[in-house]
């Protein structure tokens, strides 16, 4: 049904927007001292805190972000533990990206104490 409503061009527009938001999120994360560890045009960003590598740290960051109720990320396992942000909702916006980075900053500051 969504394909019938939006059509192929509508789907393509959404995917282009999500891909662009993924690139913007990469830049925002890197500006806030996170390190993106995957290189893909897809709106799936895996990242770490290069300043902290304690066991369970990234899981605690993800829990704090999700508990805030303002954003959602998940821990994942690549060749090492990472945080994973996926832009999959067609309503995602630049403001959502800024909110996520704020939540990450808040979680990081609370866990650094």
């Amino acid at each position: 049904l969504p394909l019938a409503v939006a059509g192929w061009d509508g789907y393509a527009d959404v995917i282009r927007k999500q891909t662009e938001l993924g690139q913007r999120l990469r830049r925002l994360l890197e500006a806030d001292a996170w390190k993106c560890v995957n290189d893909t045009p897809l709106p799936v960003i895996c990242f770490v805190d290069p300043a902290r590598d304690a066991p369970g740290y990234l899981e605690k960051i993800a829990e704090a972000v999700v508990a805030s109720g303002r954003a959602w990320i998940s821990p994942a396992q690549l060749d090492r533990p990472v945080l994973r942000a996926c832009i999959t909702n067609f309503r995602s916006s630049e403001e959502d990206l800024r909110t996520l980075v704020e939540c990450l900053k808040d979680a990081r500051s609370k866990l650094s104490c």
Side-chain angles (χ1 to χ4, degrees), residues 21-98:
L21 287 173
Q23 295 307 316
R24 288 182 187 173
L25 180 57
R26 284 177 187 282
R27 290 190 296 271
L28 289 171
L29 289 168
E30 290 171 352
D32 203 42
W34 295 94
K35 181 181 178 192
C36 296
V37 297
N38 68 327
D39 184 23
T40 177
L42 299 174
V44 178
I45 299 89
C46 296
F47 58 101
V48 297
D49 182 345
R52 298 269 315 259
D53 195 19
Y57 173 70
L58 295 176
E59 290 84 358
K60 290 177 185 171
I61 292 282
E63 288 170 8
V65 169
V66 172
S68 76
R70 299 175 60 212
W72 190 88
I73 57 170
S74 62
Q77 183 70 38
L78 296 179
D79 60 336
R80 60 182 165 173
V82 298
L83 292 172
R84 181 179 66 106
C86 300
I87 301 169
T88 57
N89 189 310
F90 71 96
R91 292 182 178 159
S92 294
S93 68
E94 184 85 29
E95 181 61 29
D96 296 320
L97 306 181
R98 287 191 294 272

